[in-house]
Amino acid sequence: MTPEDHPAPALPGAPIGFVEFVCLVASLMALGALGTDAMLPALPAIGEALGVADENRRQFVVSAFLAGFGAAHLIHGPLVDRFGRRRVLLWAIASYVVASALAAVSASFTLLLAARIAGGATVAATRIGTVALVRDCYHGRAMARVMSIAFMVFMVVPILAPSVGQLVLLFGDWRTIFWVIAGTAAALLVWIWIRLPETLRPEAALPIHPRRILAGWRIALTDRMSLGYTLASTMLMGGLYGYLNSIQQIMFDVFRRPSLLAAVFAGTAATMAAANLLNARIVMRLGTRRIAHSALAGLIAIAGGHWALAAGGLDTLAVFAVLQALTMACFGLATSNFSAMAMENMGGIAGTASSIQGFISITAGVLIGAVIGLAFDGTTMPMIAGFLLTAIAAIVLVAITERGTLFGG
């Protein structure tokens, strides 16, 4: 079985207006981010309410969601290739509404974690569906451009989510945050129901058969570009999840400025959004490789300098905020192009390929991020070292994938 056995559909462009299509794609991507980031200001309140005294264990509220999100990729990929993008998205988002409601009424930490795993597992369909939707309509540099614009819109949610969480805590409790998420998901469900047509052609639907699915995974895992850039993305996602696991404790315990959590988080998310806007403007001219490889080299340089400053006791809140924002800008430039390059040869099996790529990058990334988060020792150094080491591992993997030729077009 080769990619030619299941040729990619024709590329008709967006099935609805381009602006609406990008906003819808961005909203789908943002739904999972809202479920992660809105929780950050509420972790102390959740721990107090449900009897979790160990601050590092409270990170499991984030990790459980991400673990379910990563593992479910293996399920959603074959489903979107068989039943279509629209139908799977509708059922998955409806299930996410239910999971979020269950989290809102949880009376124990165990039940909350179970609801979080279920929520992550259901909302994972939005990532698979998003990549498949975009790949149905675009490829190559055009796909990278669309994804970059979507990432730019999508990053508004990480900018606002912690502030939303803090705002909700002023007028309600942590449970209200889950009700807000459930309501947001319900609104997106209605939007898709009314506006989004199916982008998978009936003749391109692939049967759910173990041999076919395993063959699709084999294609994705033996294609040099797909595997190499998936593993590189995995390393960078590990650094990102280490940051997500650590940022609340860093702001509360290291800098003792909990009120600035939303502002610092917004600053790092804003630079990622700006980076993706820049990428959308220049990727057609400079190419995915030149941009992604340069950004990865920049990430290593910035993280290395940040680690040296922290080791010397010079990591003030201002230094942390600025250097972490620059780190995230490089992260955004690298990962948006990595995703496009990993999918370049996967057009005929977009859902299945995206599922195995997402499973690897997110599930392994969550594990790496959990190790980084649990290493929190009252300083910023474990988190910074996590970003530095994962970026170094990523550039080694990219060099192997490209057979030593970096910064190409």
Side-chain angles (χ1 to χ4, degrees):
M1 181 179 177
T2 66
E4 288 72 22
D5 294 328
H6 294 291
L11 302 172
I16 53 180
F18 181 78
V19 173
E20 183 182 5
F21 180 72
V22 171
C23 289
L24 181 58
V25 166
S27 299
L28 286 166
M29 295 167 60
L31 195 59
L34 180 65
T36 304
D37 302 334
M39 297 298 106
L40 297 176
L43 293 181
I46 292 172
E48 182 178 351
L50 300 181
V52 183
D54 185 346
E55 291 189 2
N56 282 4
R57 285 189 63 221
R58 296 173 187 174
Q59 298 176 11
F60 295 158
V61 175
V62 176
S63 297
F65 183 84
L66 294 173
F69 186 81
H73 276 62
L74 294 180
I75 299 172
H76 294 303
L79 291 178
V80 300
D81 276 346
R82 170 61 182 87
F83 297 108
R85 316 334 184 181
R86 183 178 186 273
R87 186 185 303 180
V88 173
L89 284 172
L90 290 172
W91 278 104
I93 295 174
S95 300
Y96 184 51
V97 173
V98 174
S100 299
L102 179 61
V105 300
S106 296
S108 70
F109 194 59
T110 300
L111 180 57
L112 175 62
L113 294 184
R116 291 289 282 168
I117 292 172
T122 53
V123 82
T126 60
R127 182 188 182 278
I128 297 294
T130 294
V131 175
L133 278 171
V134 176
R135 186 59 185 83
D136 284 346
C137 305
Y138 304 95
H139 71 92
R141 295 185 181 185
M143 179 180 177
R145 177 175 179 266
V146 173
M147 293 300 288
S148 291
I149 297 172
F151 266 117
M152 179 190 66
V153 180
F154 147 75
M155 285 311 302
V156 172
V157 172
I159 290 171
L160 297 178
S163 297
V164 170
Q166 286 187 335
L167 182 63
V168 170
L169 292 176
L170 292 177
F171 300 98
D173 60 11
W174 60 269
R175 298 179 187 277
T176 312
I177 297 176
F178 288 106
W179 289 118
V180 170
I181 292 172
T184 302
L188 182 56
L189 181 70
V190 173
W191 187 5
I192 293 172
W193 177 270
I194 295 173
R195 293 291 298 157
L196 182 68
E198 180 56 62
T199 60
L200 179 68
R201 296 183 307 172
E203 63 271 23
L206 302 178
I208 296 180
H209 189 284
R211 288 185 61 186
R212 200 278 305 168
I213 295 171
L214 290 174
W217 290 350
R218 179 181 61 80
I219 292 171
L221 294 177
T222 55
D223 180 87
R224 190 178 189 90
M225 296 294 294
S226 172
L227 178 61
Y229 280 103
T230 295
L231 293 178
S233 294
T234 300
M235 295 298 106
L236 295 185
M237 293 302 290
L240 175 66
Y241 293 147
Y243 168 79
L244 291 176
N245 285 330
S246 305
I247 186 61
Q248 181 267 320
Q249 288 170 268
I250 286 174
M251 294 303 300
F252 279 56
D253 300 335
V254 178
F255 298 121
R256 302 191 182 281
R257 299 295 297 273
S259 62
L260 294 181
L261 170 61
V264 171
F265 201 88
T268 58
T271 56
M272 286 182 66
N276 279 284
L277 174 60
L278 174 65
N279 190 64
R281 291 179 176 274
I282 65 176
V283 68
M284 300 297 287
R285 177 163 51 90
L286 299 181
T288 53
R289 285 170 177 80
R290 184 174 294 117
I291 296 171
H293 299 170
S294 298
L296 186 53
L299 196 161
I300 292 171
I302 293 167
H306 195 178
W307 185 88
L309 289 173
L314 301 175
D315 195 18
T316 65
L317 178 56
V319 169
F320 176 86
V322 171
L323 293 182
Q324 199 58 45
L326 293 174
T327 298
M328 289 300 189
C330 293
F331 173 90
L333 283 173
T335 53
S336 59
N337 288 295
F338 281 5
S339 297
M341 288 186 283
M343 286 295 294
E344 182 63 30
N345 301 326
M346 301 292 110
I349 52 168
T352 301
S354 178
S355 70
I356 191 66
Q357 290 172 358
F359 170 75
I360 293 171
S361 63
I362 296 173
T363 304
V366 166
L367 295 176
I368 296 169
V371 171
I372 295 170
L374 292 173
F376 178 76
D377 60 359
T379 73
T380 60
M381 290 189 66
M383 190 219 73
I384 300 169
F387 252 124
L388 176 60
L389 293 175
T390 54
I392 291 172
I395 204 166
V396 170
L397 288 165
V398 168
I400 294 172
T401 301
E402 298 288 354
R403 294 183 169 91
T405 302
L406 298 179
F407 310 104

